[in-house]
């Protein structure tokens, strides 16, 4: 498996006005970077897509990507995943090519369209909200989940506590899947990190697919960045009823969440949050005793 982090020598400039900074404004040190490498995804030996990602949990990434593309939605449709031969200039296995074998009856996509996905953007070429509805086999709108607002507001801190790669690099996004219990508490089921927001979500969805958990009823997907159209799309295709982000949603993300029956929260910062769609799922703050 490829390295998740890499050490690099840097020149650090300190301009805080302190006597030490005035005497030694430039310091030589090592910094830890999150690794970003290409991953080629093949379907039945044919090249289908290339994505830029942080190595690790690559089988989850591929499985989740296939769910996000609307190609599969159950683990039985995915026969196998394997790393293909691939070596760097030193003859070391790169683990940068994964082949997925699909069940014979699964409809194959147009392999000739050459999907390329950067680490900053997921499936940006989706034409319309209608295209998502046609691909989805689950209906988040039918999920009766209720989430106490205090529980929902606590999830960013819960996610941050589980971000091991971010702790050492400060340079990766994260997605965490939480199951909401009947008493309103949240159990962290899976957390994944990656340089790409959409990759982190695909890794979570792929893990859930391989565990036989789709559709993900009764869950909240908490993400560390903003809520874009493609992240709402991935949630819809996985049957996730609630998506929460620490930053802002886009206008199209709100439109898709509303059309899909997803509760979408943004600017979730521990002490406050905005609910843009599906507010009926979010329980109000209980009134003070005797108030």
């Amino acid at each position: 498996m490829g390295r998740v982090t890499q050490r690099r020598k840097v020149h650090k400039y300190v301009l805080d006005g302190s006597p030490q900074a005035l005497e030694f404004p430039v310091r030589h040190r090592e910094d830890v970077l999150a690794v970003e490498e290409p991953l080629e995804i093949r379907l039945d030996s044919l090249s289908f897509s290339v994505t830029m990602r942080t190595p690790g949990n690559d089988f989850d990434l591929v499985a989740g990507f296939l769910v996000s593309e609307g190609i599969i939605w159950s683990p039985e449709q995915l026969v196998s995943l394997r790393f293909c031969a691939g070596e760097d200039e030193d003859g070391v296995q790169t683990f940068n090519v994964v082949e997925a074998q699909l069940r014979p009856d699964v409809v194959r996509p147009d392999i000739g369209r050459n999907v390329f996905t950067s680490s900053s953007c997921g499936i940006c070429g989706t034409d319309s909200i209608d295209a998502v509805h046609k691909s989805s086999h689950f209906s988040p709108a039918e999920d009766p989940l209720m989430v106490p607002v205090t529980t929902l507001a606590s999830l960013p801190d819960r996610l941050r506590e589980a971000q091991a790669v971010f702790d050492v690099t400060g340079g990766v996004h994260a997605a965490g899947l939480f199951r909401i219990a009947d008493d309103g508490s949240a159990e962290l089921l899976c957390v994944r990190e990656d340089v790409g927001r959409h990759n982190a979500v695909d890794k979570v969805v792929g893990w859930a697919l391989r565990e036989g958990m789709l559709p993900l009823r009764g869950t909240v997907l908490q993400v560390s960045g903003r809520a874009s159209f493609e992240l709402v799309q991935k949630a819809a295709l996985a049957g996730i009823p609630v998506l929460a982000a620490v930053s802002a949603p886009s206008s199209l993300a709100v439109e898709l969440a509303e059309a899909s029956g997803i509760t979408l929260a943004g600017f979730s910062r521990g002490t406050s949050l905005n609910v843009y769609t599906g507010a009926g799922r979010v329980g109000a703050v209980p009134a003070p005793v005797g108030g």
Side-chain angles (χ1 to χ4, degrees):
M1 186 61 62
R3 292 181 298 169
V4 175
T5 62
Q6 179 185 96
R7 290 186 174 275
R8 298 281 295 192
K9 292 182 178 179
V10 299
H11 302 281
K12 182 174 182 177
Y13 292 82
V14 181
L15 308 173
D16 60 7
S18 64
Q20 185 180 12
L22 293 174
E23 185 176 359
F24 302 104
V26 183
R27 303 172 189 175
H28 304 283
R29 52 166 289 186
E30 277 193 339
D31 198 11
V32 181
L33 308 178
V35 171
E36 181 177 24
E37 293 180 352
L39 177 69
E40 180 185 352
I41 300 171
R42 296 179 183 174
L43 297 182
D44 306 322
S45 77
L46 298 177
S47 182
F48 174 54
S49 175
V50 176
T51 185
M52 302 300 297
R53 97 305 187 194
T54 299
N57 305 116
D58 287 329
F59 287 175
D60 289 344
L61 173 59
V62 172
F65 181 77
L66 295 178
V67 172
S68 297
E69 284 282 296
I71 298 171
I72 62 175
W73 54 92
S74 72
E76 292 78 16
Q77 295 172 304
L78 184 59
V79 176
S80 66
L81 291 164
R82 70 181 184 93
F83 285 106
C84 297
E87 298 179 347
D88 61 17
E89 61 275 10
D90 298 320
V92 178
Q93 166 66 274
T94 61
F95 296 100
N96 283 340
V97 181
V98 171
E99 179 178 289
Q101 291 287 337
L102 304 180
R103 202 170 61 188
D105 63 312
V106 174
V107 177
R108 270 60 172 173
D110 180 7
I111 298 296
R113 67 192 183 99
N114 294 323
V115 178
F116 175 80
T117 307
S118 73
S119 58
S120 62
C121 178
I123 308 170
C124 299
T126 301
D127 294 329
S128 67
I129 290 174
D130 288 341
V132 178
H133 291 164
K134 291 176 183 176
S135 300
S136 181
H137 291 264
F138 309 124
S139 178
E142 298 174 0
D143 196 312
L145 175 66
M146 289 291 296
V147 186
V149 67
T150 50
T151 297
L152 190 58
S154 72
L155 299 186
D157 288 340
R158 296 273 305 277
L159 178 63
R160 176 65 187 85
E161 291 169 359
Q163 290 182 246
V165 180
F166 184 87
D167 282 342
V168 294
T169 67
V172 291
H173 290 281
L177 184 68
F178 293 85
R179 175 184 287 130
I180 306 302
D182 292 339
D183 63 0
S185 62
E187 175 192 3
L188 178 59
L189 300 177
C190 177
V191 61
R192 294 288 185 264
E193 296 179 274
D194 200 279
V195 288
R197 293 173 299 113
H198 61 284
N199 286 340
V201 172
D202 277 343
K203 287 178 177 181
V204 167
V205 171
W207 170 84
L209 174 91
R210 299 173 69 205
E211 292 291 320
M213 296 173 61
L214 266 59
L216 286 167
R217 297 188 179 95
T219 63
V220 176
L221 179 65
Q222 176 69 54
V223 296
S224 62
R226 63 185 178 88
S228 56
F229 171 81
E230 72 267 17
L231 295 196
V232 177
Q233 173 179 262
K234 293 174 188 297
L237 289 168
I240 298 171
V242 181
L243 171 63
V246 299
S247 191
S250 68
S251 61
L252 193 57
V254 174
E255 291 177 29
L256 177 57
E258 188 169 46
S260 302
I262 290 176
T263 296
L264 178 60
F267 292 108
S268 184
R269 305 286 173 84
T271 58
S272 66
L273 56 86
N274 297 341
V275 179
Y276 295 86
T277 64
R281 281 198 181 98
V282 180
V285 177
V289 176

